[in-house]
Amino acid sequence: MIPVSTTRPARTHARVLRADVRVALDGATDTVTLHGPVSSLVLRPVRGALRTVLDRLGGEPLPDDELYEGFTPAERVRAAALVERASQLLAHSVLSGDEAPLRRELVRLEQTARDAGYEPAPVDTDAAVRLSRFAFCRSRDGVLVLESPLVKFRAVLADRGARELTAALGQPVAAGRAGEGTGLGPQESLDVLAHLIGAGFAEAAGPDGTFASDTEPKLRQWDFHDLLFHSRVRSGRYDGIFGAVYPYQGEIEPRPAVKPVPPGEAVDLYRPLRRDIDARDPSLTAAIETRRSHRTYGERELTAEELGEFLYRVQRVRVHHTPGADSPGADEVISRPYPSGGSLYELELYVTVLRCAGLAPGIYHYDSYGHRLVLVNDAEVDRRSLLNVASRSVGFDVRPDVLITVTSRFQRMAWKYRAMAYATTLRHTGVLYQTMYLVATAMGLAPCGLGNGDADMSARVLGLDYLEESSVGDFLLGTPGQDPAIAGDPGPEWHMVNSPEWSLPGEASFAP
Ligand SMILES: Cc1cc2nc3c(=O)[nH]c(=O)nc-3n(C[C@H](O)[C@H](O)[C@H](O)COP(=O)(O)O)c2cc1C
């Protein structure tokens, strides 16, 4: 097949200042500052042709011959250098084939990362083309945009024909026919395709008829949502507002640092004494080196005293900071035994008690301020539902003494952080897991973190609003049994490396 490249690219490829860029001119010093959503650019001195090109960029999208019209070769070189420098604050536009003033902007590509760049791709009219598996459309600032975690541009689908062409790319279609019925002319469709393929939103099938986003081994192993999440929770690839910016300050009240205790019967928990724990705890190294995941449990029941000690050492509130005259405007925060970004401590624990001496079976909220358990659900069927999901994660019917559901009060994080709030919550969940593992190990109990739980079902049985507070982690706890994976020889396929003696319990460990 003979590749047919798009024609008239210079006439249909235009540049324009992004709509979200503000231009500030200081006439006294000939300084122009371009204020973008996340970065600004100061240009100095801006006179003559440079001033003209900036004025033109602030109007309708213009192809190069109109952008630099009337310039001497030297002026054109300097103006092109300015356009290059301001690239992140400019958009690429694909224009219809009409002459001005009928000419329309079909698609606008806005750069979302500093190091972005693309060339329109040659398009073979017979080639099958399709959207990348990672591309998606959404409404942003009232317009339909096409985005992808693989692409450092955002395509604003300005024109109805471009929107319909994009929709047609939901399934493989011959490039030359993709624009049929969209209102775009054949050449206009090819122009838009050249940019969408060149940037990476769409792809042409390979010689075997497959698409790279389906078959290339690295891409194949990325789930759509995982790659999108990864691309947005670290700064650099996307131009959204990022970090501790308090986006809702003055508009929405922050959630209190301590969750209001839900209504229900409350049970005061045992409070361990620090000196007793100091006297019997193993060393930190002994706890770290002997920590294991346990999935079977002993004949002895967990006791309410052990559960009280465990929760106290893991999750109790140990400091409460209520901002006053000394720190006006500061966040209301608390402290717990593990670290938390911004001291926001958005995680809550719910304890499903299945077998515990001194505590009735039931699903309890842990009141970490009052160190109490508050009964939120006593239905046996709901305990079983939670346990069934945990059993699926483990691969067999587990019978822990308690199942701990970790929830997040999402708006605690989102009130302060943009883009990274949920990612930080997942990090906190990991921090909490390790704290639970180590405290359980130090106490001679049997811990196991789980990788999955049913956030909808647990929200229902815990009486929570899914969007306000729902589960992000699940953890099993019980008394240790004879776990064949732990006791004795692990088998010939396991090879101890780097100081095997480190994993043996020290003399001082496991007193209880
Ligand atoms: C985040 C996380 C998720 C886990 N998910 C599961 C799980 O769903 N099912 C399970 O049986 N074990 C789960 N585990 C336990 C791991 O399988 C275990 O930590 C790993 O095999 C290493 O063994 P060890 O903990 O005994 O050193 C999880 C552990 C973590 C930290």
Side-chain angles (χ1 to χ4, degrees):
M1 207 57 52
I2 302 165
V4 179
S5 58
T6 51
T7 56
R8 308 190 317 272
R11 295 287 305 134
T12 56
H13 180 194
R15 303 305 305 265
V16 65
L17 261 187
R18 284 171 56 151
D20 51 9
V21 171
R22 194 168 49 80
V23 183
L25 168 69
D26 177 353
T29 57
D30 288 327
T31 302
V32 171
T33 308
L34 303 177
H35 296 279
V38 286
S39 67
S40 297
L41 180 66
V42 179
L43 301 164
R44 186 173 41 220
V46 180
R47 302 190 198 103
L50 296 188
R51 180 78 63 85
T52 305
V53 84
L54 271 181
D55 285 346
R56 288 176 181 172
L57 284 167
E60 294 293 307
L62 294 176
D64 281 2
D65 58 350
E66 293 176 40
L67 193 59
Y68 304 126
E69 193 177 350
F71 289 5
T72 65
E75 286 171 337
R76 189 184 163 118
V77 167
R78 283 194 292 122
L82 181 147
V83 166
E84 182 60 34
R85 257 192 90 194
S87 186
Q88 200 179 349
L89 301 165
L90 303 179
H92 295 268
S93 291
V94 185
L95 302 178
S96 68
D98 308 302
E99 292 301 325
L102 292 178
R103 191 165 63 193
R104 302 176 336 269
E105 185 179 36
L106 303 178
V107 176
R108 173 178 291 213
L109 284 102
E110 295 172 348
Q111 194 170 327
T112 61
R114 270 181 211 285
D115 61 345
Y118 79 95
E119 289 292 329
V123 182
D124 175 345
T125 50
D126 287 332
V129 291
R130 200 201 66 185
L131 284 181
S132 157
R133 187 167 65 82
F134 295 96
F136 63 99
C137 284
R138 67 174 176 130
S139 175
R140 180 182 184 273
D141 296 337
V143 287
L144 191 71
V145 296
L146 178 63
E147 298 183 295
S148 163
L150 292 174
V151 181
K152 296 175 182 177
F153 287 87
R154 168 178 43 249
V156 180
L157 301 173
D159 180 78
R160 184 190 182 112
R163 292 194 287 275
E164 294 194 0
L165 174 66
T166 304
L169 297 175
Q171 56 204 11
V173 57
R177 307 194 58 184
E180 284 177 4
T182 64
L184 297 181
Q187 189 58 55
E188 289 170 339
S189 302
L190 289 176
D191 285 347
V192 172
L193 272 177
H195 285 264
L196 295 186
I197 294 172
F201 293 111
E203 50 193 349
D208 61 353
T210 64
F211 293 92
S213 62
D214 294 339
T215 54
E216 195 282 321
K218 283 196 298 288
L219 290 176
R220 217 178 132 189
Q221 294 176 74
W222 272 104
D223 267 341
F224 162 77
H225 72 278
D226 275 343
L227 190 53
L228 178 59
F229 184 66
H230 181 53
S231 72
R232 297 289 170 92
V233 300
R234 316 280 300 164
S235 60
R237 181 165 276 244
Y238 195 66
D239 60 352
I241 294 169
F242 191 97
V245 295
Y246 296 92
Y248 310 106
Q249 200 160 33
E251 293 174 29
I252 301 176
E253 278 299 301
R255 305 300 295 150
V258 179
K259 177 184 160 85
V261 180
E265 191 187 314
V267 183
D268 284 326
L269 288 170
Y270 165 75
R271 291 168 182 260
L273 291 178
R274 174 70 193 271
R275 64 168 181 272
D276 293 345
I277 288 172
D278 284 347
R280 67 173 148 82
D281 247 8
S283 70
L284 173 65
T285 302
I288 289 175
E289 295 299 329
T290 59
R291 181 214 54 78
R292 295 285 180 276
S293 296
H294 298 241
R295 299 171 186 85
T296 59
Y297 305 93
E299 291 191 355
R300 180 179 78 75
E301 296 181 305
L302 187 75
T303 65
E305 190 169 308
E306 285 172 318
L307 185 58
E309 176 179 329
F310 175 82
L311 291 169
Y312 199 79
R313 294 177 67 175
V314 167
Q315 173 77 355
R316 80 179 185 285
V317 175
R318 54 182 192 181
V319 180
H320 185 193
H321 177 244
T322 47
D326 287 349
S327 55
D331 296 335
E332 183 204 1
V333 294
I334 56 172
S335 169
R336 290 188 164 134
Y338 55 88
S340 172
S343 266
L344 293 180
Y345 291 100
E346 79 285 16
L347 300 181
E348 295 290 320
L349 299 186
Y350 292 80
V351 184
T352 299
V353 173
L354 301 157
R355 185 187 72 150
C356 185
L359 257 181
I363 305 175
Y364 298 84
H365 171 249
Y366 175 55
D367 167 9
S368 55
Y369 203 95
H371 190 53
R372 301 180 309 166
L373 286 178
V374 178
L375 185 67
V376 293
N377 185 333
D378 61 2
E380 209 229 320
V381 61
D382 289 334
R383 293 199 289 279
R384 224 176 312 122
S385 297
L386 288 171
L387 196 61
N388 285 344
V389 179
S391 293
R392 280 207 292 281
S393 285
V394 172
F396 59 85
D397 273 345
V398 274
R399 292 274 170 267
D401 292 303
V402 299
L403 164 62
I404 296 171
T405 305
V406 182
T407 64
S408 171
R409 297 168 64 217
F410 301 111
Q411 283 74 36
R412 272 294 286 167
M413 301 300 292
W415 194 79
K416 176 168 180 179
Y417 295 110
R418 281 300 297 270
M420 57 184 286
Y422 188 64
T424 308
T425 282
L426 297 186
R427 293 189 179 106
H428 290 162
T429 307
V431 171
L432 175 59
Y433 270 32
Q434 176 70 337
T435 307
M436 291 198 283
Y437 262 113
L438 291 183
V439 170
T441 305
M443 292 177 64
L445 297 177
C448 186
L450 298 183
N452 182 41
D454 182 334
D456 282 280
M457 184 270 287
S458 60
R460 180 181 60 73
V461 307
L462 301 175
L464 302 172
D465 174 341
Y466 177 88
L467 295 178
E468 185 179 350
E469 180 184 345
S470 44
S471 71
V472 291
D474 306 84
F475 200 88
L476 306 176
L477 185 69
T479 61
Q482 283 305 308
D483 190 332
I486 293 164
D489 182 357
E493 293 178 358
W494 294 83
H495 312 288
M496 302 295 281
V497 291
N498 287 323
S499 312
E501 72 281 5
W502 272 58
S503 65
L504 300 174
E507 279 182 5
S509 61
F510 305 120

